[in-house]
Amino acid sequence: MDNDVKVKLEQFKELVRKIRSYYEAVALLHWDLRTGAPRKGAEVRSETIGMLDTEMFKLQISDEMGGYLEYLSNPNVADQLDDIDRRIILDCQKEYERNKKIPAKKFQEYSVLTAHAQTLWEDAKENSDFEGFEPYLSKIVDMKQEFIEYWGVKGTRYDTLIDMYEPDMTVEKLDQVFSKLRGRLVPLLEAIKASRNQPDNEFLNQIFEKEQQEKFGLFILEQMGYDFEAGRQDESVHPFATGLNPGDVRITTHYLLDDVTSALFSSLHEGGHALYEQNIDANLAGTPLAEGTSMGIHESQSRLWENMIGRSRSFWERYYSDLQQHFGPQLQDVKMEDFYRAVNRVENSLIRIEADELTYNLHIIIRYEIEKMIFNEGLSVKDLPQVWNAKYEEYLGIAPPNDGLGVLQDVHWSGGDFGYFASYSLGNMYAAQIINTMRKELPQFEQYIANGELLPIKEWLTDKIYRYGKSRTPSELILAITGEDLNPDYLADYLEEKYKEIYKF
Ligand code: ZN
């Protein structure tokens, strides 16, 4: 490598580390806001976040950055770099080009607004107060619409947002994949509803002390291989995972006293996200590649652990007796088989995060369609509750009694995360496709789970996915692991097989 190149590359990496430090500070402040920061400090805190975010933003689009990118992406120079460095440059370039188009003042305004709105949303949800929250949400949508103009419309306006979370994914592809998936899930749901073998799940809704729930959740996280020296679990209104760096990946959960499964499966879910980020190769730390490659792949890891492992029969063959012992009398008379069937009961319900594996995808399709209406058809925020309720009636046959259980249930929109929801279903589809390959390459897969040996599974996933962080794109990963592109049939096959057996049809 020429000495000149070497020097410039080092300077560039120094700037990248500086940006990463801001990223970490902002992520930590967000974490703190949502895990018990004093309410009265929230407004000032939001401004602090906005300020730091803006500093980071300025560095990302600085002339200094522009200069390095121009120099390092010159073919004569790029030829001398290794693959990882080239990927870092590409990632910074994408960020640079995207952010350069937004005036810094606008960005700061947006950042303060969304940080504040996330706090307001917690109250709005609790009080089912859509009207009070509506002006903030409208403002967020207006700003997002403005940003789309700055970024430039690719395909449709909504495509521009989808691309943020799932590179290479388009509305056209999603329309196809979702319609294929829905085509197979709707008849399956009908067969399930018609079955005479409905699992009973009432015993799940007894009182389960929070301390016991917490202990069991931590035990399961440990079994998965979650590294408590590189993370911690706290409580928040809406469970989430946040990776500050591979040595500090935090998760949260939310306890419901009258439901033993809610916090447990959310720990498995967020634990799956965390395993991904804790096991990214050390040589990517301090670079923008030290995170998941896309939200869809991220969700594939959380949902793989939550559902395909955590809701499998093998898993409960191993862990059910532990669960019984943890809680004393509540589950003493409940058989493992009945518990397994209960946690896999399919129900048309209102709340996405508590939905079963099948109807979950319908919750996502509803959000996807609504977001598409907002950005491509100009649906007004004021009309959201009405549209939301109508779609729930149409897809799931139930209407929310209030907006807290309806349109206000998710945190995403308050943070401006439009375009994110599709990732959850993509995650289910990727996960089923990945597991299909894992079963072939790890023939003892079921046995490992039934023995409580979860580490070989974590290692396989580390080898195929985790360690690469963002240095491979979602489509490269899926193709390399499974030998084909995204295919929704694997998820539909998996669900059919599972539910035919549970519901006996
Ligand atoms: Zn998730």
Side-chain angles (χ1 to χ4, degrees):
M1 189 187 292
D2 298 348
N3 201 42
D4 239 29
V5 177
K6 212 168 161 183
V7 170
K8 273 274 195 315
L9 183 65
E10 259 327 300
Q11 289 169 340
F12 164 72
K13 284 186 169 175
E14 190 57 37
L15 177 60
V16 166
R17 275 194 291 273
K18 194 168 171 188
I19 292 171
R20 209 59 198 171
S21 304
Y22 277 101
Y23 171 91
E24 179 163 336
V26 168
L28 183 61
L29 290 176
H30 266 296
W31 171 85
D32 179 65
L33 252 192
R34 291 162 68 187
T35 52
R39 188 153 295 239
K40 288 185 178 169
E43 203 161 338
V44 175
R45 170 63 60 80
S46 303
E47 276 164 34
T48 307
I49 288 174
M51 222 58 110
L52 291 178
D53 236 350
T54 308
E55 286 308 306
M56 177 168 82
F57 178 81
K58 282 183 189 158
L59 291 176
Q60 285 172 325
I61 59 164
S62 60
D63 293 342
E64 192 188 355
M65 176 61 89
Y68 292 138
L69 291 174
E70 198 185 334
Y71 178 85
L72 294 167
S73 56
N74 179 309
N76 294 332
V77 174
D79 279 349
Q80 302 178 42
L81 306 175
D82 65 22
D83 187 47
I84 295 296
D85 286 337
R86 275 198 295 266
R87 295 275 179 158
I88 295 172
I89 291 160
L90 244 130
D91 194 77
C92 290
Q93 197 128 35
K94 195 169 177 188
E95 215 53 37
Y96 178 83
E97 276 159 20
R98 184 189 286 155
N99 290 339
K100 191 85 183 156
K101 295 175 177 164
I102 309 281
K105 250 186 107 173
K106 279 273 170 215
F107 183 84
Q108 182 168 1
E109 190 191 337
Y110 175 76
S111 185
V112 173
L113 173 68
T114 49
H116 189 200
Q118 285 183 54
T119 309
L120 293 173
W121 163 78
E122 291 185 7
D123 285 337
K125 175 185 169 178
E126 200 167 317
N127 304 321
S128 283
D129 179 16
F130 184 79
E131 214 175 295
F133 188 60
E134 187 269 324
Y136 295 90
L137 192 55
S138 288
K139 182 76 192 155
I140 292 171
V141 167
D142 288 348
M143 290 200 77
K144 224 63 244 203
Q145 292 278 28
E146 229 179 305
F147 285 10
I148 293 173
E149 289 298 323
Y150 286 123
W151 287 321
V153 176
K154 326 178 169 175
T156 73
R157 299 180 69 84
Y158 187 40
D159 276 283
T160 310
L161 301 181
I162 296 278
D163 181 65
M164 305 255 165
Y165 303 102
E166 202 62 19
D168 309 331
M169 192 49 69
T170 61
V171 167
E172 196 186 344
K173 270 194 226 170
L174 281 172
D175 281 349
Q176 280 170 12
V177 166
F178 280 149
S179 111
K180 200 168 177 193
L181 187 64
R182 213 175 84 195
R184 288 192 60 184
L185 296 191
V186 169
L188 179 59
L189 185 57
E190 279 163 10
I192 288 170
K193 292 279 128 195
S195 160
R196 287 193 199 152
N197 294 290
Q198 299 292 328
D200 171 24
N201 66 349
E202 263 177 40
F203 54 82
L204 295 177
N205 302 104
Q206 308 174 60
I207 296 298
F208 294 91
E209 293 304 334
K210 188 178 128 183
E211 289 71 27
Q212 301 309 111
Q213 290 201 37
E214 190 175 0
K215 265 192 203 153
F216 191 73
L218 293 174
F219 164 66
I220 292 295
L221 283 167
E222 202 186 301
Q223 292 285 303
M224 291 166 71
Y226 177 79
D227 182 357
F228 282 95
E229 294 194 349
R232 50 185 279 167
Q233 181 174 253
D234 294 85
E235 278 181 66
S236 66
V237 175
H238 193 294
F240 67 94
T242 189
L244 306 179
N245 64 62
D248 189 350
V249 185
R250 304 178 183 203
I251 57 176
T252 69
T253 190
H254 183 73
Y255 298 101
L256 299 178
L257 282 189
D258 61 352
D259 180 356
V260 69
T261 59
S262 175
L264 173 60
F265 287 115
S266 103
S267 287
L268 274 154
H269 180 100
E270 304 306 336
H273 282 304
L275 283 191
Y276 190 175
E277 300 229 353
Q278 283 184 337
N279 292 288
I280 292 172
D281 245 15
N283 69 346
L284 299 179
T287 81
L289 306 183
E291 50 187 76
T293 187
S294 74
M295 292 308 153
I297 297 292
H298 234 306
E299 287 305 327
S300 78
Q301 295 317 297
S302 55
R303 302 193 61 78
L304 184 151
W305 283 98
E306 177 191 357
N307 294 325
M308 290 161 190
I309 294 174
R311 283 180 217 266
S312 69
R313 178 179 274 114
S314 311
F315 185 83
W316 291 107
E317 276 168 9
R318 164 63 187 83
Y319 292 107
Y320 187 60
S321 57
D322 282 321
L323 184 77
Q324 279 180 314
Q325 278 162 24
H326 250 82
F327 286 103
Q330 291 97 320
L331 298 171
Q332 284 320 316
D333 300 329
V334 178
K335 291 197 194 77
M336 190 282 284
E337 182 63 19
D338 293 332
F339 181 83
Y340 166 68
R341 298 184 75 228
V343 299
N344 283 297
R345 186 181 150 104
V346 173
E347 215 155 5
N348 293 358
S349 65
L350 292 171
I351 305 295
R352 173 184 64 85
I353 60 167
E354 279 149 34
D356 57 82
E357 285 178 81
L358 197 170
T359 58
Y360 189 94
N361 299 288
L362 299 176
H363 288 263
I364 294 307
I365 293 172
I366 290 174
R367 286 157 178 75
Y368 170 75
E369 289 180 357
I370 291 178
E371 290 187 349
K372 208 165 65 168
M373 286 166 80
I374 296 173
F375 291 97
N376 286 354
E377 294 158 32
L379 172 68
S380 158
V381 168
K382 279 201 308 294
D383 298 329
L384 282 182
Q386 193 196 334
V387 174
W388 181 282
N389 296 350
K391 287 216 180 269
Y392 265 78
E393 189 73 67
E394 182 192 341
Y395 283 73
L396 289 158
I398 38 172
N402 62 57
D403 293 331
L405 297 171
V407 69
L408 286 173
Q409 67 180 267
D410 296 305
V411 67
H412 304 63
W413 291 348
S414 69
D417 291 329
F418 292 94
Y420 188 116
F421 281 119
S423 314
Y424 292 113
S425 267
L426 283 170
N428 291 338
M429 293 184 265
Y430 288 139
Q433 193 168 335
I434 290 166
I435 286 250
N436 181 68
T437 302
M438 200 195 309
R439 283 176 190 281
K440 288 183 205 151
E441 294 186 8
L442 278 187
Q444 320 90 307
F445 175 72
E446 292 294 342
Q447 202 51 49
Y448 280 143
I449 300 176
N451 293 344
E453 293 174 65
L454 303 180
L455 297 187
I457 296 173
K458 185 190 110 179
E459 275 157 24
W460 190 90
L461 291 166
T462 299
D463 182 49
K464 303 284 178 181
I465 303 169
Y466 300 166
R467 65 191 173 108
Y468 294 110
K470 211 176 179 183
S471 67
R472 288 189 172 184
T473 66
S475 26
E476 283 171 343
L477 269 183
I478 284 298
L479 191 62
I481 300 166
T482 71
E484 62 178 309
D485 290 331
L486 173 66
N487 180 349
D489 282 333
Y490 290 105
L491 178 62
D493 291 345
Y494 156 81
L495 292 172
E496 266 175 26
E497 193 188 331
K498 179 168 185 173
Y499 289 118
K500 271 185 181 167
E501 199 259 346
I502 292 174
Y503 281 85
K504 305 184 174 73
F505 59 86

